[in-house]
Amino acid sequence: MKYTNSKVEEVKFNNKKIFVKRDDLLHKDFSGNKARKFYYFLKNDFNNVTKIISHGSSQSNAMYSLSVLCKIRNLDFDYYVDHIAEYLKTNPIGNYKEALKNGMNIIVKEVPKNIDKNSIFIPEGGALEEASFGIKILANEIITWAKETNPKDLKVFLPSGTGTTALYLQKYLPFEVLTCACVGDEQYLQKQFLELEEENHPTILNLDKKYHFGKLYKEFYEVHKELKEQTNIEFDLLYDSKGWLCVNKHLNNSKSDILYIHQGGILGNISMLERYKYKYD
Ligand SMILES: *Cc1c(COP(=O)(O)O)cnc(C)c1O
């Protein structure tokens, strides 16, 4: 079926065997965890709905995926941002460029307080209950794979932004879900979990150093390049670089089998790589 059923690959990173669920390959335009989170809106019928309204940063993966969804469903897409960086306006790139091509209306203004009945409002990053619909399908794919493969004491790892994907995976999986906070700190992530579910939260792993979302870090760039070299897979620079540093620190000597969820985001790498190359190469 289109947009579901990604494969699992076995890779070796720093001599540790790790399984990778390739959600980055779900579909050319609609992939990663945003495809899972917005699957509900792809599959269900909404009478009289003509528009999706959302907000966030002008580079976000969620913004791009919503633009694809709206194009497929023939809906208008209004996206509110607090600013658009000058360099992006003059030289559109990555998520921003492609979302505009898909017909996104980008609006530099506060999100409207009243949403009319012909519009659906999607909170920043897709942190909403409807996301559970597609993430449950992802969980079931993992359960089916595990039955066939018989991994040893399986742990599932994925880096978090809003934490929505990790939270619902833990809800539907019989395996422990491990994550790390990429957007805010651990307290922020715990609060995000609590807003969606009272209990059964994923385990949060930490690094010693504090990182700020969207900033450049040499070790992020390096682990990204190492991953590409050793696994032949491109991972995202905003979430996965930190994710893999966590895997290195906490799970490299683990006796458990690890399944790493690749949550996509490769289109967002174009502008990040430009910045990284300019700074470090
Ligand atoms: C959006 C995104 C995340 C964070 O997902 P949450 O469900 O908000 O935790 C992680 N990785 C990538 C590549 C993403 O695009």
Side-chain angles (χ1 to χ4, degrees):
M1 221 205 311
K2 240 175 153 183
Y3 309 114
T4 58
N5 267 323
S6 61
K7 65 177 174 183
V8 173
E9 270 174 22
E10 188 182 318
V11 302
K12 245 191 177 169
F13 187 58
N14 298 340
N15 288 320
K16 166 85 177 158
K17 176 186 91 173
I18 294 186
F19 296 102
V20 178
K21 175 92 170 143
R22 298 296 305 271
D23 264 15
D24 55 317
L25 303 178
L26 279 173
H27 184 269
K28 180 170 74 62
D29 303 315
F30 197 61
S31 69
N33 71 342
K34 305 308 180 292
R36 300 291 190 175
K37 292 205 270 191
F38 301 144
Y39 195 63
Y40 176 86
F41 299 99
L42 188 72
K43 283 290 148 184
N44 288 282
D45 273 322
F46 304 97
N47 292 332
N48 304 321
V49 168
T50 57
K51 186 191 280 185
I52 283 180
I53 299 174
S54 189
H55 69 114
S57 102
S58 54
Q59 309 247 48
S60 100
N61 297 332
M63 171 193 77
Y64 168 70
S65 294
L66 284 174
S67 79
V68 175
L69 170 73
C70 288
K71 193 173 158 191
I72 298 171
R73 298 295 316 251
N74 199 18
L75 298 167
D76 290 333
F77 178 35
D78 285 359
Y79 189 73
Y80 290 82
V81 296
D82 62 16
H83 74 288
I84 305 169
E86 250 348 282
Y87 70 88
L88 200 57
K89 265 197 241 175
T90 48
N91 178 26
I93 189 172
N95 286 324
Y96 176 75
K97 178 180 175 186
E98 298 305 319
L100 286 178
K101 272 202 217 159
N102 288 335
M104 165 180 72
N105 306 308
I106 195 156
I107 305 165
V108 186
K109 227 196 248 175
E110 294 245 331
V111 185
K113 294 232 160 36
N114 299 306
I115 306 292
D116 70 76
K117 63 179 187 349
N118 298 324
S119 300
I120 292 175
F121 178 74
I122 296 191
E124 180 167 8
L128 74 178
E129 207 192 308
E130 286 83 348
S132 65
F133 178 85
I135 297 170
K136 188 174 187 182
I137 295 170
L138 168 59
N140 285 333
E141 288 172 26
I142 294 170
I143 290 168
T144 302
W145 167 81
K147 272 190 193 134
E148 291 162 0
T149 316
N150 252 322
K152 202 168 69 184
D153 184 35
L154 183 68
K155 312 268 185 212
V156 175
F157 180 91
L158 66 165
S160 281
T162 66
T164 310
T165 313
L167 181 81
Y168 285 127
L169 269 183
Q170 186 63 90
K171 178 172 176 152
Y172 298 119
L173 282 178
F175 314 109
E176 187 181 13
V177 174
L178 309 167
T179 190
C180 63
C182 297
V183 171
D185 58 8
E186 187 183 338
Q187 281 73 30
Y188 158 85
L189 186 56
Q190 237 136 25
K191 212 170 133 241
Q192 291 288 116
F193 289 157
L194 269 176
E195 282 188 13
L196 294 170
E197 294 274 323
E198 288 288 328
E199 49 193 25
N200 209 9
H201 292 174
T203 306
I204 303 175
L205 304 178
N206 282 307
L207 293 174
D208 301 324
K209 184 172 160 181
K210 261 200 177 341
Y211 293 95
H212 297 278
F213 190 66
K215 281 208 177 153
L216 307 187
Y217 298 97
K218 195 156 205 220
E219 56 270 39
F220 280 18
Y221 190 36
E222 268 160 10
V223 77
H224 173 86
K225 288 193 287 191
E226 268 304 309
L227 279 160
K228 188 90 190 276
E229 233 170 75
Q230 293 186 35
T231 69
N232 215 12
I233 299 174
E234 180 174 359
F235 285 90
D236 147 276
L237 277 153
L238 287 169
Y239 302 92
D240 287 322
S241 286
K242 185 166 183 187
W244 281 99
L245 290 178
C246 268
V247 169
N248 268 350
K249 179 181 169 194
H250 295 277
L251 304 173
N252 246 18
N253 299 316
S254 162
K255 300 248 178 325
S256 299
D257 277 330
I258 309 294
L259 177 67
Y260 189 105
I261 313 293
H262 194 320
Q263 300 177 92
I266 300 311
L267 188 57
N269 275 355
I270 302 173
S271 59
M272 288 302 287
L273 278 172
E274 235 180 39
R275 294 170 64 201
Y276 269 116
K277 284 187 177 139
Y278 182 75
K279 185 158 181 188
Y280 294 116
D281 284 354

